[in-house]
Amino acid sequence: MSVATLEQRAVSPAAEEAGRIVVKDVNRIFRQEAGPDVIALDQVNLEIEPGKFYSLLGPSGCGKSTLLRNIAGLDHVTSGEITLDGEVIDGPHFLRGLVFQQPTLFPWKTIEQNVATGLEARGILKEKGHEVQEYIRLVGLEGFEKVYPHQVSGGMAQRASLARALVNHPKVLLMDEPLGALDAFTRMQMQEEILRIWQDRGTTIVFVTHDIDEAVYLSDKIVIMTPRPGKIQEVIDVPIGRPRNRNHPDFWRIRSHILKIFGFSPEHAESYQI
Amino acid sequence: MALSQPAPTGISEVQKKPFPIKNIVTSLLPLLLLALFWAEHTLLPDGQMFTKRRYLAESFPFLMGLYLVTFGASFYRKDFHEKLTYQAPLIAGVIGFLMLWDVVTLKLGLLPLPQFPSPGAVIAALIADAEVLFVSIYHSLGLLFGGYLLGLLFGIPTGILMGWFSSVNYWLSPILRFIGPIPATAWIPIAMVVFPSSFQASIFLVALAAWFPITIMTWSGISNVSNSYYEVARTLGASTRYLILKVALPASLPSVFVGTFMGLGSSFATLVVAELLGVKAGMGWYVSWAQGWAEYAKVWAALFVMAIIFSGTTSLLFKVRDRVLVWQKGLVKW
């Protein structure tokens, strides 16, 4: 029994200590040839604590994805800086794993080869290759190792892309609406999976979403962003224990607070009596 | 364990009726056509005189025996039997066509000689000139593979460099656009002077013919790779080298293969024309030499051999593609 537990835990979370992200005075302006400049990020300041689950929540155009892409190093800030554990981010790095809305698996690679991509790219496939199987098991894709991406469902593909990001032992896992393309049921199932993996690994997670329920259900902290110009409105603490109940009054309290910020709570709502 | 019983076989036995009578009749069609052809060939009076046809007349019993053996063997393998049943009408059709050809030429003399010999004459030419034909095939294959591989060897890297580095693209794409569309065969007069031997000149021409489409399609494939693949790879720690060789190249392979097929086609054309004009060996040379002696049976025989070589090479490339692009199965209909 204990042996089995040890085996399941063989992927040690030791490597993912730390993972503190500091966003300081960040501006990101997209210059357009026609039309006015778009201020995607306006004077954004944020400190993300290690090991915590953060959500960036807001309507489209609020700059949440731009902020995430800048943390990933795929985009460059116009001014200000972003640091991870004190080091300035100026390009992508395998310690900052990224999961997109679309699984973006490489169609010419099997699930197993896709998961192994990070190790292959870093030239350590030989030494660390055995971990690939552990991550495939972690996301529940045993038996699908030799299968090509077009042969699996959207949910399974997204699991594979999660495993692909995790295989590098990232300090931070950046997720850009990773469940946006899934149906409601698969989505809830994947939320559980992500929580389980996060609790197992202890990685800092920055999770972009426009789904309020999803943000409240998953996060330790919710960063509320508003558009035009994209800026942080408020950072909300979610002091609810896990597993969370979507129908608990505490859950609804936070939910209605967020709705109010976005102006979706009328002052004089009808009271329904059924 | 001791209680385990053998699995019941009843179900499969009920379903088993592997050789329906309709299939058997269908797969006997070629035999029927062969018999008809044989009767037609031996019983009808000849319209053309002085044609060699010994081999065809003698081959009928042999061909019928061969087909009978194949037919009998098919009862041992169900999949082979199904394949034979599927192919049988086509084989019968080919035999029927040959018979019609024989009637129109040898028996009725409707087509002019020597340009349109009977099938028997072509077969006779094929067998009589087998030695020369083999040498020609050997020469042509050497030219074809040498030139084509050279075209691949230069075409794919050129395409990759052009797709990846805008500076390479800046200098090479005008050259490619300007010179590429010239048919490689138009270079024959220049190539024959520049290269010390006509063999080398031909290798160059075939390589050039293959190089152009392969480069274009590799280039276009690389430039159309979705940016998100690069972004994913970069967040996973990929170097530029990895991005080129392990992301851009495999992602553009479907397009590269389109180029290889186009290149193969123009290689064939260039090969034959180069041999017609300059080289003193090979299939193209054989065709023009036979024509010079007005031996049209040999020309037809050579065309037949070329069809086999070129279609064989093309199917070989199809096999390679199916192997390499196995991940596309189900993704793309082909």
Side-chain angles (χ1 to χ4, degrees), chain A:
Chain A
M1 194 63 193
S2 64
V3 175
T5 321
L6 267 179
E7 251 177 20
Q8 277 167 1
R9 276 255 167 196
V11 183
S12 102
E16 295 89 27
E17 287 158 358
R20 179 183 299 275
I21 299 165
V22 179
V23 180
K24 203 158 171 272
D25 299 329
V26 162
N27 290 288
R28 178 69 173 97
I29 298 163
F30 290 103
R31 312 234 175 257
Q32 291 185 310
E33 278 177 31
D37 293 349
V38 175
I39 304 169
L41 294 174
D42 182 31
Q43 211 56 29
V44 169
N45 283 285
L46 180 66
E47 186 166 347
I48 292 170
E49 297 163 52
K52 291 278 163 69
F53 199 123
Y54 274 69
S55 285
L56 306 182
L57 176 67
S60 45
C62 71
K64 54 191 193 304
S65 286
T66 307
L67 181 56
L68 196 81
R69 285 177 63 79
N70 275 290
I71 298 173
L74 292 173
D75 188 38
H76 290 284
V77 295
T78 310
S79 67
E81 66 174 25
I82 305 176
T83 57
L84 171 63
D85 295 331
E87 278 182 55
V88 176
I89 292 169
D90 67 344
H93 194 279
F94 67 86
L95 286 178
R96 280 171 274 124
L98 183 61
V99 177
F100 289 101
Q101 177 173 3
Q102 298 301 328
T104 333
L105 296 176
F106 302 116
W108 58 90
K109 291 184 172 193
T110 61
I111 296 295
E112 190 176 41
Q113 290 164 340
N114 263 289
V115 174
T117 303
L119 302 178
E120 189 193 23
R122 292 161 58 207
I124 54 168
L125 188 56
K126 227 170 227 168
E127 304 94 273
K128 297 285 183 78
H130 58 276
E131 289 188 8
V132 171
Q133 191 54 39
E134 292 164 22
Y135 281 98
I136 286 175
R137 204 186 307 139
L138 182 72
V139 298
L141 283 177
E142 306 102 313
F144 292 93
E145 290 88 350
K146 309 291 180 206
V147 160
Y148 285 97
H150 72 268
Q151 295 167 300
V152 302
S153 68
M156 284 161 77
Q158 198 55 289
R159 283 163 193 263
S161 90
L162 187 59
R164 182 175 62 177
L166 287 170
V167 84
N168 275 333
H169 298 257
K171 286 183 179 179
V172 190
L173 189 57
L174 307 167
M175 307 179 93
D176 193 355
E177 299 187 34
L179 310 183
L182 303 178
D183 67 86
F185 294 99
T186 315
R187 191 174 178 132
M188 287 204 277
Q189 206 182 338
M190 284 296 287
Q191 289 170 356
E192 299 301 329
E193 293 279 313
I194 289 172
L195 280 179
R196 178 177 65 79
I197 291 165
W198 169 64
Q199 282 162 348
D200 183 78
R201 319 275 307 133
T203 314
T204 311
I205 291 188
V206 184
F207 190 98
V208 165
T209 181
H210 51 227
D211 183 330
I212 297 173
D213 278 21
E214 186 169 80
V216 179
Y217 188 72
L218 294 173
S219 325
D220 291 321
K221 303 240 181 176
I222 302 176
V223 179
I224 308 276
M225 298 184 73
T226 48
R228 281 176 293 276
K231 56 163 62 177
I232 294 177
Q233 194 72 29
E234 195 176 333
V235 179
I236 298 173
D237 211 21
V238 188
I240 312 177
R242 291 186 177 89
R244 288 176 181 172
N245 180 347
R246 287 182 167 90
N247 292 317
H248 195 276
D250 289 344
F251 195 97
W252 284 97
R253 203 167 32 75
I254 294 170
R255 194 177 178 278
S256 64
H257 175 66
I258 296 171
L259 281 171
K260 206 172 283 169
I261 296 173
F262 289 117
F264 288 117
S265 291
E267 295 286 318
H268 308 287
E270 296 282 337
S271 68
Y272 297 99
Q273 291 186 334
I274 305 165

Side-chain angles (χ1 to χ4, degrees), chain B residues 130-165:
Chain B
E131 203 177 326
V132 185
L133 272 171
F134 266 119
V135 175
S136 301
I137 292 169
Y138 175 77
H139 261 272
S140 287
L141 284 182
L143 265 185
L144 181 67
F145 283 110
Y148 187 69
L149 288 181
L150 215 60
L152 271 179
L153 215 63
F154 280 94
I156 291 178
T158 322
I160 292 175
L161 291 175
M162 285 176 68
W164 193 266
F165 300 103

Side-chain angles (χ1 to χ4, degrees), chain B residues 40 68 70 83 121 130 133 177 186 202 234 236 256 259 271 290 319:
Chain B
E40 174 270 328
L68 264 178
T70 316
K83 218 173 183 175
L133 272 171
R177 281 167 204 272
S202 309
R234 285 167 70 210
L236 291 170
V256 172
L271 172 76
K319 283 259 153 59

Side-chain angles (χ1 to χ4, degrees), chain B residues 140 143 185 188 192 198 202 205 268-292 299 302-303 306:
Chain B
S140 287
L143 265 185
T185 45
I188 288 177
M192 292 296 173
S198 63
S202 309
L205 291 169
F268 293 153
T270 310
L271 172 76
V272 172
V273 177
E275 286 174 346
L276 280 175
L277 297 183
V279 193
K280 294 279 171 280
M283 295 306 298
W285 167 82
Y286 182 85
V287 168
S288 79
W289 177 74
Q291 190 207 4
V299 173
L303 289 178
M306 272 193 225

